[in-house]
Structures are given as structure tokens and as C-alpha cells.
């Protein structure tokens, strides 16, 4: 069986130490803020996330870019030249063109390196939902599964990775076209907090609105109570609101026998659209 590596992109929001421990290759998406183009590496070498969210709070508006074909092609070719295959698990095609870029690059690399297999799987996931799927894929690889077996596992499992999240400020979702300007204005006045999920096609879908931050955080736990099938691995990401994330973690640990818990920032590429105060919960459920 040929050796293979698992590749993903920085929208997985996995912390740098876990990226290293899982032996992942992570390619960065980019973001532009205050006229500077920066890359979203897992170790946050180009901008600390606290600094990024402070800029957003102070009114800065950023833009983001997917990974282009050339970046994928260069890294895939480097790995192929070492005689290894590649399983690439990408950011949701419902939110980015990153998956399409990876597919084009994979085809070119396989033509150049005969005998090399590059399999690209659309995670249909975002942030630590994508990270959770990648984490589970690595566990399959470590059990001795072939690349084809691990890819099939990812395709089966992606429909069971639940993403439920809430945001503190509707104006960031308004800029991204997720809510209307009128809904953002009224919601802000009434202290309404939307609860959203990522659906089966990997898109962000508003599901309900609750009044107040406390109720919106409680609603995330309610969704876990309703849907969770395996609570042994739970991930939480946050838009610079670690106290809220720790509070949700405590509530979950009191109810569920969690073995692996990962908590990290929502990276700047997704955080640019969701804003400061975003709180997201990821777990394996009966369905998304």
C-alpha cells in the first residue's frame, strides 16, 4: 500500500500544535485588511487573531481569497515527487472555490506524475467542522486504512458533522449577504441573536433567532442534546470570545463523556464574515 499524506486548508481552524501532531499539510487561504494581504497559517504568524478581531471591532472591513490552482499544484507536485499519494480534504464548495482549485491541480499533478493518486474530497464543512472531519480522517489512517478507505470514510462522515453557531453582531452577516439590512437593524435593536448551521450542501443557513446572548449559547447545547450520536470528540471555535467558549465547554463536559476537546479561534478568513463574538459548536450527529 502506497504511503499517503492528508492535506487540507487553513479554513479547518485547527491549532498549529494539533496540525503538527496529526502530521497534516495545511495550505493557507489569504485575507486582506487595512490594505495588507496576509496568509492565514495555522500558527497565525502573519496576524494574531486577537489583533484581527480588535480591528474588526474598530470598524475595519476585510476581504478574503480562496487558494488558487498554482498553490495547490506546487505543493501536490512536491509530495508526488516523493512517491506519496495525497488525500486532500477541502473547505466547503458551498462557501469557497478552494475545492474546485484543488480538483484542477490534482488532475494536472496526476498527469505529470504517473502512478500518483491525488483524491480531493469536498468536506462540505467549515472552521472546526472541517477540522473535526480531518481529525477523524487521520484516526482512520492511523488504523491502517488505505487512502481509498479513508476517503470513503470522509464522504460518509461529512453528512454527520454538525455545525451549529451563533453570532454576536448581525452586521457582519449583513455584509456577507446572509441577512438583510432591515433584519440586521431590527435584530440589533431587539438584541436578537441568530442561530445558524452548515447544511448538507455546505452552505450557511439561518435556523432561528433567540433574544440575548445567554439564550443563543444555550441553544447550541440544545442542538447537541437533540442530534448528538457520538460525543467523544467535540470541537468549539470562537471569534475572540473565549470566556463564552469555555462556558459552553463546561456545560458540555457536565453532560457528556467527552474524550477529545479542541477549542480554537475562528480564523480570519471565516471570521471576516461571521465577526467578533461568533461561537460555533461541532460534533458527530445523526445528521447535519
Amino acid at each position: 500500500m502506497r504511503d499517503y499524506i492528508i492535506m487540507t486548508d487553513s479554513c479547518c481552524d485547527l491549532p498549529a500544535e494539533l496540525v503538527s501532531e496529526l502530521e497534516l499539510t495545511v495550505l493557507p487561504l489569504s485575507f486582506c485588511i487595512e490594505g495588507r494581504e496576509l496568509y492565514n497559517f495555522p500558527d497565525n504568524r502573519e496576524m494574531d487573531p486577537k489583533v484581527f478581531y480588535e480591528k474588526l471591532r474598530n470598524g475595519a472591513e476585510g476581504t478574503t481569497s480562496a487558494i488558487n490552482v498554482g498553490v495547490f499544484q506546487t505543493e501536490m507536485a512536491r509530495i508526488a515527487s516523493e512517491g506519496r499519494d495525497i488525500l486532500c480534504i477541502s473547505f466547503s464548495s458551498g462557501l469557497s472555490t478552494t475545492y474546485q482549485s484543488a480538483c484542477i491541480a490534482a488532475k494536472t499533478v496526476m498527469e505529470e506524475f504517473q502512478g500518483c493518486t491525488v483524491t480531493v474530497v469536498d468536506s462540505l464543512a467549515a472552521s472546526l467542522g472541517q477540522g473535526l472531519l480531518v481529525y477523524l480522517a487521520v484516526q482512520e489512517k492511523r488504523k491502517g486504512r488505505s487512502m481509498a478507505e479513508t476517503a470513503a470514510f470522509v464522504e460518509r462522515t461529512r453528512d454527520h458533522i454538525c455545525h451549529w453557531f451563533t453570532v454576536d453582531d448581525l452586521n457582519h452577516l449583513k455584509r456577507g449577504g446572509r441577512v438583510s439590512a432591515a433584519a440586521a437593524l431590527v435584530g440589533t435593536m431587539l438584541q436578537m441573536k441568530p442561530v445558524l448551521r452548515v447544511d448538507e450542501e455546505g452552505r450557511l443557513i439561518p435556523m432561528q433567532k433567540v433574544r440575548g446572548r445567554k439564550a443563543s449559547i444555550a441553544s447550541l447545547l440544545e442542538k447537541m442534546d437533540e442530534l448528538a450520536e457520538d460525543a467523544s470528540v467535540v470541537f468549539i471555535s470562537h471569534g475572540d470570545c473565549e470566556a463564552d467558549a469555555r462556558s459552553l465547554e463546561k456545560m458540555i463536559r457536565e453532560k457528556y463523556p467527552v474524550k477529545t476537546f479542541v477549542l480554537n479561534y475562528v480564523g480570519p478568513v471565516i471570521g471576516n464574515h461571521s465577526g467578533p463574538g461568533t461561537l460555533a459548536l461541532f460534533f458527530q450527529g445523526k445528521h447535519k
Side-chain angles (χ1 to χ4, degrees), residues 10 12-17 19 26-28 40-45 264:
S10 62
C12 69
D13 287 344
L14 290 168
E17 59 274 17
V19 166
V26 180
L27 302 188
N40 172 211
F41 291 99
D43 62 4
N44 304 309
R45 69 189 74 160
N264 198 27

Side-chain angles (χ1 to χ4, degrees), residues 73-90:
Q73 195 172 319
T74 298
E75 190 60 20
M76 287 174 175
R78 183 189 67 77
I79 294 162
S81 71
E82 296 170 355
R84 294 186 290 174
D85 293 336
I86 302 159
L87 172 58
C88 178
I89 304 169
S90 79

Side-chain angles (χ1 to χ4, degrees), residues 201-241:
E201 294 178 17
R203 301 169 305 178
L204 298 185
I205 306 292
M207 297 301 291
Q208 65 185 98
K209 290 179 188 150
V210 294
R211 182 167 289 183
R213 178 71 166 176
K214 215 168 183 178
S216 70
I217 294 171
S219 73
L220 301 181
L221 182 58
E222 287 167 13
K223 289 301 173 187
M224 188 168 176
D225 292 340
E226 178 189 331
L227 294 168
E229 200 164 51
D230 180 350
S232 63
V233 184
V234 178
F235 287 8
I236 292 175
S237 59
H238 66 92
D240 198 29
C241 55

Side-chain angles (χ1 to χ4, degrees), residues 81-107:
S81 71
E82 296 170 355
R84 294 186 290 174
D85 293 336
I86 302 159
L87 172 58
C88 178
I89 304 169
S90 79
F91 183 30
S92 172
S93 64
L95 298 169
S96 170
T97 58
T98 297
Y99 168 70
Q100 285 85 352
S101 294
C103 289
I104 294 165
K107 186 171 182 292

Side-chain angles (χ1 to χ4, degrees), residues 125-133 135-136 157-165 195-198 217-237 248 252 256 258 260-262 280-288:
S127 189
L128 278 178
Q130 179 183 342
L132 175 53
L133 190 60
Y135 174 87
L136 295 172
T157 306
R158 66 186 175 188
D159 293 332
H160 297 273
I161 302 294
C162 297
H163 306 54
W164 286 88
F165 69 103
V195 176
L196 305 94
R197 74 178 182 105
V198 170
I217 294 171
S219 73
L220 301 181
L221 182 58
E222 287 167 13
K223 289 301 173 187
M224 188 168 176
D225 292 340
E226 178 189 331
L227 294 168
E229 200 164 51
D230 180 350
S232 63
V233 184
V234 178
F235 287 8
I236 292 175
S237 59
L248 179 58
I252 291 168
Y256 294 99
V258 182
T260 302
F261 216 113
V262 173
L281 173 62
F282 310 94
F283 55 90
Q284 295 176 80
K286 301 169 204 167
H287 53 79
K288 265 192 170 176

Side-chain angles (χ1 to χ4, degrees), residues 136-149:
L136 295 172
V138 172
Q139 308 317 306
E140 290 300 299
K141 182 187 175 190
R142 288 178 173 176
K143 291 173 190 172
R145 308 283 191 238
S146 69
M147 189 169 84
E149 288 169 331

